Amino acid sequence: MSVDAASAAGTGPVIAQGVDEEPMAPNQRDARARTGVLIAVLCAAYTLFHLFVMVIYPLETWTYRMMHVCGGLIIGFLTYSALTQRSNDADAAPAPRGMAELALLGVAALGVGYGLAVIAYAWGAWWLAGVAAPPAFGFRTYGLPLAIGTAAAVISGWLYSSRDRSRIYPGDLILCMASIAVLGYILFVVGGLRMRAGTAMAQPGDLWAAVTGVVLILELTRRLTGLALVIIVGVFIGYSFLGPWLPGFLNHRGYTATRFFTYIFTDQGVLGDPIAVSSTYIILFIVFAAFLQASKVGDYFVNFAFACAGQARGGPAKVAVFASGLMGMINGTSAGNVVSTGSLTIPLMKRVGYSAKSSAAIEATASSGGQILPPIMGAGAFIMAEVTGIPYTDIVVAAIIPALLYFVSVYFMVDLQALKLNMKGLPRSELPQFKVLIRQVYLFLPIIILIYTLFAGYSVIRAGAMGMASAAMVSWLTPHRMGPRQIFKALDMGAKMTIQMVAVCAAAGIIVGVIALTGVGARFSSLLLSIADQNQYLAMFFAMCISIILGMGMPTTAAYAVAAAVVAPGLIALGVPVLVAHFFVFYYAVMSAITPPVALAAYAGAALSGSDPMKTSVEAFRLGLAAFIVPFMFFGSHELLMQGEWIDIIHATATALLGMFLLSAGVIGYYFGHASMVVRLILIGAALSMIAVGWLTDIVGLSVAAALFVWQRRIVTPATLSHGRAD
């Protein structure tokens, strides 16, 4: 593994990373290339549509969100079908389709084709003849064939789509057409559906259009993120119908299918807050991250980190903490950030002595922490501002100290582990030259401009657009100038990075809609209140567990949206301030990405390093332990959220930082020398006393830390050295 010449000059990526391509026959390769170009054009158009609507010509809210979801479904099915899966035998001709497959595809084509025909006729009557179609026209029977056809296409995809991956599978093309049919129906009757949704006036066509939309969303979510989120959504949907037979606070009167599904496909559900944020802030900052990657400005951040810390002990791990935190703050998805930066940092961590498990865990922990790092917080700050009504600047300021505590803790753990294992850094000759990089410090301008415009009062959308423009402009001062081809690549990359977020935010919207419809959130608040009568910290622990469970299998933004709907109202009912309550659930929603047994960020890191996924997730949980304590810290001491007098804020921060060091030493097992299990347990106890609020506990923690320092330096370390000399 070597550093390329561009890296040494400070302009390129640190590692030349090879990609093993699957061998393909020439005709398959040509077909795949043509398909890739077509999908790239669609992706670039999808991104441009969002930028045009956000910056130049706003659309009506329902229309824009529906087009956002529909476009995501279309690109998602096309990309999954043709580009993300590969055939097992490159030279073999595609096997002929059997009768069962042809029958499924025929049913799918007829059902979806009928739905498209009805919508096309209705729109034609509207635009060409100037008259609306009568309410009974086609729509009484419109949705049932469409739903049946969609189900047939989904089943055919499950059973037969592994044939020729160089072309788009016909069943996935039919699913794209079904997405257009749902979009057309909802837009055609948009005024009426808003009034009828969730009421007795809802029509059969409304029901089947909504059912088809939900099936499409869940199928794409399954393909892109696995079954975890789909199962959670399924549980919530089942709860809507089984409520009359459930005990205690879960009991409710139940709902008909027509009322439930039509309600879910409104701005109270699928088109609600998660998709509102996905269609604006999330896609904006993901495209910004794509511009940084396409312009190679993002590589400069990684190279700068290697130049600063690569030669230190455990240098690549420290680089991962810095670079992954910075990039994770922007791109909004922990697992995606692990893949993008981990391909650089994980091999180098392994090279200097970290195990495969530790390398993947460090990358996953740092990438997940980027979601709590201001000012962007992976779009979390904007979602919180949207949900709570608290000004964005207040949220960013409040996030500074908790983020500092988290990253300082991870840094301590990385450094102490390097000390314990006697690791070295990378040779200076193999690192980018700092004197060259410092002359290119202007490449930080896109981040500086973004932060300045956000705090200067510009809208988030304008600030993001200016950040993108500045990334393209500063690239002209480097060998990697962004021309039309590179801008097209960035637009294409941005759309593909967005698709998973569209699917999971739409799925999360279903959960939010169920919570709003059934009122389970209010009942959960009552449950927390009853627990708090016994012990308030027990209620907070229960809220923590629910936030983590709800976040498993979801990207951060969707996880927070669901936790904010279920858990935050209960905490507020306990008397917890709104900002503290939402930060509490936000932290645990973020940390679900490294919490076993479903830890998406840790699994992504394990795939890159070749380690065991479950062991990697346990290690990531251990390294990120501070994040599981910090919310209880600012729950007990609001000064850590910049609320209170400055002297109290400084006191709380200083003692918390010392507590993080003691906690890291106890977890790693190194405190001015190798620490025994007894010493480690005492260190963790001292850390918890420093973390607790109050001068008495601080004095206790300091006294224990000082006593252990003397013990380690005067007794343990000399004994170890003399033993080594005797050997």
Side-chain angles (χ1 to χ4, degrees):
M1 191 72 66
S2 62
V3 181
D4 63 20
S7 301
T11 57
V14 174
I15 306 170
Q17 189 82 359
V19 178
D20 296 328
E21 291 291 340
E22 179 189 11
M24 281 189 173
N27 62 329
Q28 286 184 313
R29 195 160 43 244
D30 293 342
R32 189 179 180 89
R34 289 192 298 270
T35 303
V37 170
L38 171 63
I39 294 174
V41 171
L42 288 175
C43 288
Y46 181 70
T47 305
L48 279 174
F49 161 74
H50 284 83
L51 296 177
F52 178 78
V53 171
M54 284 190 286
V55 178
I56 299 175
Y57 188 79
L59 282 179
E60 189 272 336
T61 303
W62 260 50
T63 302
Y64 177 55
R65 293 180 189 177
M66 270 304 304
M67 296 181 77
H68 172 71
V69 173
C70 176
L73 290 171
I74 291 171
I75 294 174
F77 286 124
L78 293 180
T79 305
Y80 179 89
S81 175
L83 299 183
T84 62
Q85 300 192 54
R86 299 174 178 182
S87 56
N88 294 324
D89 188 350
D91 297 320
R97 304 192 190 280
M99 291 299 297
E101 182 181 4
L102 289 174
L104 278 172
L105 291 175
V107 170
L110 288 174
V112 173
Y114 173 78
L116 278 174
V118 170
I119 289 299
Y121 183 84
W123 273 103
W126 185 284
W127 287 103
L128 300 178
V131 295
F137 164 74
F139 292 134
R140 291 188 184 278
T141 56
Y142 154 83
L144 184 57
L146 175 66
I148 294 173
T150 301
V154 168
I155 294 171
S156 69
W158 291 350
L159 299 178
Y160 304 110
S161 66
S162 61
R163 292 177 176 273
D164 182 8
R165 301 306 170 87
S166 63
R167 293 176 174 84
I168 299 172
Y169 181 66
D172 291 338
L173 280 175
I174 294 171
L175 291 177
C176 295
M177 296 301 104
S179 304
I180 296 173
V182 172
L183 170 73
Y185 178 85
I186 292 180
L187 291 187
F188 180 71
V189 295
V190 64
L193 183 58
R194 281 184 178 176
M195 297 177 61
R196 300 195 303 258
T199 71
M201 295 186 293
Q203 302 297 310
D206 302 344
L207 164 65
W208 292 113
V211 168
T212 303
V214 169
V215 169
L216 291 168
I217 290 167
L218 293 183
E219 171 61 9
L220 185 60
T221 303
R222 181 193 67 82
R223 294 184 180 193
L224 298 180
T225 68
L227 280 173
L229 179 55
V230 176
I231 291 172
I232 294 172
V233 174
V235 168
F236 273 87
I237 292 175
Y239 169 67
S240 300
F241 298 105
L242 299 175
W245 297 279
L246 294 177
F249 78 98
L250 295 175
N251 181 269
H252 63 81
R253 61 194 180 98
Y255 302 93
T256 64
T258 300
R259 182 179 179 191
F260 172 76
F261 282 104
T262 55
Y263 180 89
I264 285 300
F265 230 92
T266 66
D267 52 10
Q268 298 296 313
V270 170
L271 304 181
D273 285 343
I275 281 296
V277 176
S278 167
S279 62
T280 50
Y281 305 138
I282 292 177
I283 191 171
L284 183 72
F285 285 105
I286 286 179
V287 175
F288 176 55
F291 267 77
L292 292 180
Q293 291 185 35
S295 65
K296 304 297 182 182
V297 175
D299 292 341
Y300 175 80
F301 301 157
V302 179
N303 288 342
F304 191 86
F306 268 103
C308 292
Q311 199 172 10
R313 55 176 179 258
K318 295 174 181 176
V319 170
V321 173
F322 173 79
S324 301
L326 181 62
M327 293 303 294
M329 171 187 70
I330 299 169
N331 69 13
T333 166
S334 302
N337 191 51
V338 168
V339 172
S340 60
T341 60
S343 60
L344 301 177
T345 58
I346 288 176
L348 288 181
M349 281 190 272
K350 293 169 67 176
R351 177 179 168 184
V352 299
Y354 287 98
S355 66
K357 176 184 70 175
S358 294
S359 302
I362 291 168
E363 177 61 42
T365 305
S367 294
S368 299
Q371 312 296 297
I372 60 177
L373 184 64
I376 300 172
M377 298 164 63
F382 308 113
I383 303 174
M384 199 177 297
E386 184 91 10
V387 172
T388 63
I390 298 172
Y392 160 80
T393 51
D394 292 353
I395 291 172
V396 169
V397 169
I400 292 173
I401 296 176
L404 173 68
L405 295 177
Y406 178 81
F407 278 97
V408 164
S409 171
V410 176
Y411 181 89
F412 283 152
M413 290 199 182
V414 165
D415 187 58
L416 292 172
Q417 189 169 10
L419 266 172
K420 182 179 181 179
L421 300 177
N422 196 27
M423 292 181 184
K424 306 298 181 184
L426 293 171
R428 173 54 65 183
S429 60
E430 297 186 15
L431 293 172
Q433 299 176 18
F434 185 80
K435 63 182 180 181
V436 175
L437 289 171
I438 201 66
R439 292 199 294 267
Q440 295 179 311
V441 73
Y442 53 79
L443 291 177
F444 277 108
L445 272 175
I447 301 294
I448 295 171
I449 289 173
L450 176 67
I451 294 173
Y452 171 78
T453 51
L454 285 172
F455 279 91
Y458 287 80
S459 71
V460 176
I461 291 171
R462 177 168 292 188
M466 292 175 69
M468 274 183 256
S470 63
M473 291 175 65
V474 299
S475 72
W476 280 73
L477 302 175
T478 74
H480 308 285
R481 298 179 177 181
M482 284 195 80
R485 184 187 297 270
Q486 288 73 24
I487 291 175
F488 175 83
K489 178 182 177 183
L491 296 172
D492 169 38
M493 189 188 310
K496 288 173 180 171
M497 291 164 63
T498 304
I499 298 309
Q500 185 190 70
M501 297 301 297
V502 176
V504 298
C505 284
I510 297 174
I511 298 175
V512 173
V514 171
I515 293 167
L517 181 64
T518 61
V520 70
R523 298 190 188 96
F524 182 78
S525 300
S526 300
L527 179 63
L528 279 185
L529 282 171
S530 64
I531 295 175
D533 287 340
Q534 308 299 321
N535 188 306
Q536 194 173 37
Y537 276 94
L538 182 61
M540 301 297 288
F541 177 79
F542 185 60
M544 175 194 76
C545 295
I546 296 298
S547 299
I548 292 172
I549 292 170
L550 289 176
M552 286 183 177
M554 295 192 203
T556 302
T557 45
Y560 167 64
V562 174
V566 177
V567 183
L571 299 181
I572 295 169
L574 290 175
V576 179
V578 173
L579 181 63
V580 177
H582 279 269
F583 260 107
F584 188 90
V585 299
F586 178 67
Y587 263 63
Y588 290 119
V590 168
M591 289 304 110
S592 65
I594 57 170
T595 305
V598 184
L600 293 183
Y603 290 174
L608 289 174
S609 70
S611 59
D612 179 83
M614 187 55 64
K615 292 180 179 178
T616 302
S617 65
V618 172
E619 180 71 6
F621 173 82
R622 189 171 73 104
L623 294 174
L625 192 60
F628 295 88
I629 297 174
V630 167
F632 284 94
M633 293 168 60
F634 60 65
F635 166 69
S637 177
H638 297 172
E639 288 81 7
L640 293 177
L641 294 179
M642 294 285 194
Q643 298 179 357
E645 299 296 329
W646 275 107
I647 187 64
D648 296 327
I649 292 172
I650 293 171
H651 166 231
T653 304
T655 55
L657 285 172
L658 181 55
M660 290 296 103
F661 174 73
L662 297 177
L663 178 68
S664 303
V667 169
I668 296 300
Y670 192 92
Y671 183 68
F672 302 101
H674 292 271
S676 65
M677 183 56 66
V678 173
V679 172
R680 293 172 70 174
L681 292 174
I682 296 174
L683 281 169
I684 293 173
L688 294 177
S689 69
M690 293 296 298
I691 288 169
V693 182
W695 285 103
L696 178 60
T697 54
D698 293 344
I699 292 171
V700 170
L702 281 170
S703 302
V704 172
L708 287 177
F709 170 77
V710 173
W711 170 267
Q712 290 289 107
R713 295 302 293 249
R714 296 293 180 86
I715 299 176
V716 175
T717 303
T720 303
L721 292 175
S722 63
H723 179 70
R725 285 193 296 268
D727 291 342

